Amino acid sequence: MADGHSTPVLGIIGGSGVYDIDGLTNKEWRRVDSPFGPASDEFLFGELDGQKLVFLPRHGRGHRIPPSELNFRANIDAMKRAGVTEILSVSAVGSLKEELPPGTFVIVDQFIDRTFARTKSFFETGLVAHVSMAHPTCGRLGDLVEAAAREAGIVAVRGGTYLVMEGPQFSTQAESNLYRQWGCDVIGMTNMPEAKLAREAEMCYASVAMVTDYDCWHPDHDAVTVDAIIKVLLANADRARSLVKAVAPKVTGRKSPCAKGCHTALDNAIITHGEVRDPAVVGRLDAVAGRVLNR
Ligand SMILES: CSC[C@H]1O[C@H](OP(=O)(O)O)[C@H](O)[C@@H]1O
Ligand SMILES: Nc1ncnc2[nH]cnc12
């Protein structure tokens, strides 16, 4: 794994409606073992125009796993073990703003994490670390995604706050209105703790949120239904695939580690003294934190 970042490899986490990536050559679905347990599914390894790409369907093929039961730690740890250096998430979201209608793509840059039933860190008793989440997404990867969207003729709004709710039920109207008052742009159930764990694992993380509905605050959209979401999703998913194809060569063509610091996020994060570190915890973190633990 060396420093883990010398060779750029794009990893895609596909959300609702994105369970496969077409057009890959040398395609192979393969299990990647993780000390954190099973990932959502096997990983799809392949190449796009000769560039390596790794894909994971977040909810598993066929959409088996609900948001609260996703093994986020295994997904991110296994991504890292698969050699991924930059993660692009594609997610279905509800819109909290009139000006972000269904069909809009938002390159999210901030999150409000309202989840409460998930394991949110790789670190625990025996090895404590605190990373910065001030800028939870990678600005450089965001730039590449923005440029790729432009090239692919996809209109994408740059910047937006994604409210992450626990689910699996959709919000009440009071909650939806509250999140609007907070200035949030979109709502979904999955990007946290995913983004936190990607940061702890020193991987760049960017998220494209594809608006499928107006949540329940909107006077014309009293309730959110999966049926309505799926209709928009199918149209969104095609554009998501085009976006992935345009982003891949930009990521693999990058020449240096992340200037925003994603690849060195653990440099000053671990606080536990060497002599009281738990070897079992340290052992599990070989992929996530090996760069700093072994130096
Ligand atoms: C099918 S609508 C609800 C579902 O879709 C989103 O998932 P993802 O981010 O993986 O696309 C949302 O967060 C919910 O999990
Ligand atoms: N309105 C909504 N709330 C939460 N997650 C969603 N995913 C898609 N639409 C959503």
Side-chain angles (χ1 to χ4, degrees):
M1 223 167 295
D3 75 354
H5 305 113
S6 35
T7 310
V9 177
L10 176 63
I12 308 286
I13 301 183
S16 300
V18 186
Y19 308 111
D20 199 348
I21 300 275
D22 61 356
L24 293 189
T25 52
N26 297 326
K27 221 173 144 165
E28 187 191 7
W29 286 92
R30 203 161 70 224
R31 198 180 78 198
V32 180
D33 289 326
S34 162
F36 295 95
S40 293
D41 204 331
E42 292 179 327
F43 283 60
L44 174 63
F45 291 82
E47 286 174 18
L48 259 183
D49 301 324
Q51 318 280 353
K52 200 168 149 190
L53 186 138
V54 180
F55 170 76
L56 177 69
R58 179 183 283 121
H59 302 275
R61 281 167 284 181
H63 207 122
R64 286 179 304 110
I65 313 170
S68 308
E69 290 176 40
L70 290 170
N71 188 343
F72 289 100
R73 293 201 300 182
N75 288 352
I76 297 296
D77 175 78
M79 276 264 165
K80 182 118 194 206
R81 286 176 199 279
V84 168
T85 52
E86 4 263 286
I87 295 179
L88 175 61
S89 154
V90 280
S91 277
V93 293
S95 168
L96 297 168
K97 298 228 163 114
E98 185 82 54
E99 62 274 24
L100 300 174
T104 307
F105 281 25
V106 181
I107 304 167
V108 167
D109 63 348
Q110 282 292 334
F111 297 102
I112 294 185
D113 185 3
R114 292 262 303 165
T115 64
F116 50 81
R118 304 172 186 196
T119 307
K120 297 194 184 192
S121 178
F122 285 112
F123 297 92
E124 57 186 299
T125 301
L127 192 66
V128 181
H130 303 280
V131 295
S132 168
M133 287 304 295
H135 305 287
T137 59
C138 174
R140 177 166 78 165
L141 187 53
D143 288 344
L144 300 183
V145 174
E146 187 179 17
R150 208 178 307 118
E151 262 176 45
I154 295 166
V155 179
V157 176
R158 181 71 192 268
T161 300
Y162 172 139
L163 185 297
V164 198
M165 61 180 293
E166 186 61 47
Q169 302 83 2
F170 294 114
S171 322
T172 65
Q173 231 169 42
E175 288 165 340
S176 198
N177 282 319
L178 177 65
Y179 305 149
R180 275 166 55 71
Q181 279 173 29
W182 287 353
C184 300
D185 297 282
V186 295
I187 181 165
M189 305 177 191
T190 62
N191 279 198
M192 285 293 187
E194 201 170 81
K196 287 176 175 167
L197 295 167
R199 175 60 48 80
E200 287 187 346
E202 299 193 315
M203 296 153 95
C204 301
Y205 183 88
S207 172
V208 175
M210 307 182 298
V211 175
T212 52
D213 55 272
Y214 265 124
D215 207 42
C216 62
W217 61 270
H218 197 285
D220 302 338
H221 300 262
D222 190 40
V224 186
T225 67
V226 167
D227 266 11
I229 287 178
I230 287 180
K231 274 204 193 95
V232 183
L233 261 183
L234 294 178
N236 284 353
D238 278 346
R239 284 187 296 144
R241 287 190 196 95
S242 310
L243 182 57
V244 166
K245 283 180 192 152
V247 174
K250 296 193 182 302
V251 170
T252 42
R254 66 129 169 107
K255 296 279 180 275
S256 53
C258 180
K260 302 285 181 190
C262 301
H263 294 156
T264 48
L266 292 176
D267 269 358
N268 297 302
I270 296 178
I271 191 164
T272 307
H273 299 190
E275 66 278 14
V276 294
R277 291 180 185 176
D278 179 336
V281 178
V282 170
R284 274 196 289 281
L285 288 167
D286 59 335
V288 163
R291 189 187 68 83
V292 288
L293 291 172
N294 300 326
R295 68 184 173 194

